[in-house]
Amino acid sequence: MANHIKISPSLLAADFAHLGDSIAAVEEAGADELHFDVMDGNFVSNITVGIPVLEAIRPFTKLPIDVHMMVLEPARYAQAFADAGGDIFTMHVEACDDLEASLGDARVAGMTAGVSLKPDTPASVLQSTLPLIERALVMTVEPGFGGQSFMPEMLPKITELQDMARTAGHELEIAVDGGIKVDTAGEVIDAGATTLISGTGVFNFPDGMKIGIEAIRTAGS
Ligand code: DX5
Ligand code: ZN
């Protein structure tokens, strides 16, 4: 296990009535970055939060914020999310008409360009754009809701992406999102994930977030 495993708590599981306090607490508990889920009611059926909320929470943390765009044609909003304080812009390949151009828009806006794959989307769709992708996000549930069960059949996709990047000599961060908890984290770390996004697994950890984050981070063999 060469890499430091990063933990990115998903704010979807935080207390929305006290978001600033929740963010300060999860940073204090050892989070490496924060995950901000944006849903548009079209790409996924659910609707969550957007630009004004990101702007409001930005002063509460110095951690990088990963904006997970579950939105059709997300690149339309790259500059606005960058201005609101986003650091990583994770777009779904299924939502982009022109992935290459979308990745360019994210980088021009000054953010790390990330691409997310729904469970049914194979790793191979990223082959041609791989050199432009700084971070891949493998969904281990169907996007749309927190608190769902982890899909172990996604594990080979993590390894496949790692192999693709290695073969291409390209540095690629691999994140996973959905159902990541202490009991599922070990498998994804062993498969090659370097960033673990976890909502309910961190915020609802029975012994508190600090112990939960450390337990998830060190779950690999
Ligand atoms: C689901 C979101 C996730 C969600 C994960 O579409 O992308 O980030 O918050 O929640 P847990 O970790 O509870 O499965
Ligand atoms: Zn997410």
Side-chain angles (χ1 to χ4, degrees), residues 141-221:
V141 299
E142 283 298 337
F145 297 90
Q148 303 181 76
S149 297
F150 174 73
M151 298 168 72
E153 59 272 35
M154 294 300 114
L155 292 169
K157 197 191 287 191
I158 299 167
T159 311
E160 203 181 325
L161 280 166
Q162 198 189 40
D163 289 346
M164 280 165 58
R166 206 170 273 162
T167 305
H170 175 64
E171 200 165 317
L172 180 71
E173 187 175 350
I174 302 176
V176 287
D177 184 11
I180 305 296
K181 297 180 179 352
V182 170
D183 58 340
T184 52
E187 299 171 272
V188 294
I189 293 169
D190 292 345
T194 52
T195 300
L196 275 59
I197 294 154
S198 175
T200 50
V202 167
F203 284 98
N204 299 351
F205 194 74
D207 301 326
M209 296 191 291
K210 194 180 175 81
I211 294 173
I213 286 175
E214 196 49 25
I216 292 172
R217 199 202 308 281
T218 55
S221 59

Side-chain angles (χ1 to χ4, degrees), residues 6-217:
K6 289 198 269 182
I7 305 299
S8 180
S10 169
L11 298 178
L12 202 53
D15 178 356
F16 270 48
H18 304 96
L19 214 38
D21 293 343
S22 294
I23 287 168
V26 83
E27 180 169 354
E28 174 66 28
D32 298 281
E33 56 180 56
L34 298 174
H35 184 81
F36 187 82
D37 288 297
V38 182
M39 306 187 191
D40 69 351
N42 283 295
F43 180 69
V44 293
S45 61
N46 202 1
I47 298 177
T48 53
V49 289
I51 296 154
V53 177
L54 180 59
E55 212 171 347
I57 64 169
R58 184 66 272 189
F60 286 84
T61 181
K62 290 191 169 55
L63 295 178
I65 299 181
D66 170 29
V67 183
H68 181 191
M69 294 292 286
M70 286 161 276
V71 170
L72 291 174
E73 295 303 342
R76 293 178 290 164
Y77 304 103
Q79 192 61 56
F81 276 97
D83 292 346
D87 299 286
I88 304 159
F89 200 61
T90 303
M91 303 173 283
H92 272 268
V93 60
E94 307 88 358
C96 298
D97 189 38
D98 183 339
L99 182 61
E100 195 172 325
S102 300
L103 289 162
D105 290 344
R107 291 180 86 140
V108 166
M111 296 183 287
T112 296
V115 178
S116 183
L117 302 173
K118 288 171 75 173
D120 285 342
T121 305
S124 57
V125 301
L126 301 185
Q127 190 72 65
S128 61
T129 39
L130 198 61
L132 304 171
I133 301 170
E134 297 173 278
R135 162 153 153 157
L137 191 166
V138 174
M139 288 302 301
T140 43
V141 299
E142 283 298 337
F145 297 90
Q148 303 181 76
S149 297
F150 174 73
M151 298 168 72
E153 59 272 35
M154 294 300 114
L155 292 169
K157 197 191 287 191
I158 299 167
T159 311
E160 203 181 325
L161 280 166
Q162 198 189 40
D163 289 346
M164 280 165 58
R166 206 170 273 162
T167 305
H170 175 64
E171 200 165 317
L172 180 71
E173 187 175 350
I174 302 176
V176 287
D177 184 11
I180 305 296
K181 297 180 179 352
V182 170
D183 58 340
T184 52
E187 299 171 272
V188 294
I189 293 169
D190 292 345
T194 52
T195 300
L196 275 59
I197 294 154
S198 175
T200 50
V202 167
F203 284 98
N204 299 351
F205 194 74
D207 301 326
M209 296 191 291
K210 194 180 175 81
I211 294 173
I213 286 175
E214 196 49 25
I216 292 172
R217 199 202 308 281

